[in-house]
Amino acid sequence: MAKKGFVGSLFDFSFSNFITTTIIKIIYGLALLGVILGFLGYGIMGLILLFNDAAVQGLVMMVIVAPMFLVFGIIGARVYCELLVLMFRIAETLVSIENNTRGGGA
């Protein structure tokens, strides 16, 4: 099985080449961007609550909810991307084992 380029892999209707492992960095970057935007959203919402007669809720939002969202969001995005990479590496390894077995295995 010959390795195709990125564009060639996009139009590979047999799905013999995977592109996810090449674009996983972009997926992870977009996930981090979403987590950071969510963190900022929770922080802004906390500020709005803080100055609109809901000081306790605003402080809880800014001090507890927003940082927890940031930490768990980053961890979740990383674990998800690592699981994607792991699945595709397992598939590539199984294809390699199959090729070695068919090509004159013991």
Side-chain angles (χ1 to χ4, degrees):
M1 169 174 60
K3 192 77 170 169
K4 298 178 181 179
F6 180 75
V7 176
S9 294
L10 284 176
F11 298 104
D12 177 24
F13 288 98
S14 65
F15 293 95
S16 59
N17 293 309
F18 301 121
I19 63 166
T20 305
T21 54
T22 59
I23 62 169
I24 197 70
K25 294 174 187 171
I26 296 170
I27 294 170
Y28 182 60
L30 290 174
L32 286 183
L33 181 66
V35 168
I36 290 170
L37 290 175
F39 168 74
L40 292 174
Y42 278 122
I44 291 170
M45 193 180 342
L47 279 174
I48 291 170
L49 287 172
L50 188 65
F51 293 113
N52 284 330
D53 297 330
V56 174
Q57 290 91 347
L59 283 174
V60 168
M61 186 75 72
M62 288 173 42
V63 175
I64 296 173
V65 176
M68 285 181 63
F69 180 81
L70 181 68
V71 170
F72 289 120
I74 291 172
I75 291 171
R78 180 67 186 208
V79 168
Y80 177 74
C81 288
E82 286 181 5
L83 286 173
L84 279 177
V85 169
L86 179 67
M87 287 189 322
F88 283 95
R89 285 193 181 154
I90 289 172
E92 290 170 350
T93 303
L94 287 174
V95 168
S96 174
I97 291 171
E98 181 184 22
N99 290 339
N100 288 340
T101 305
R102 287 186 181 176

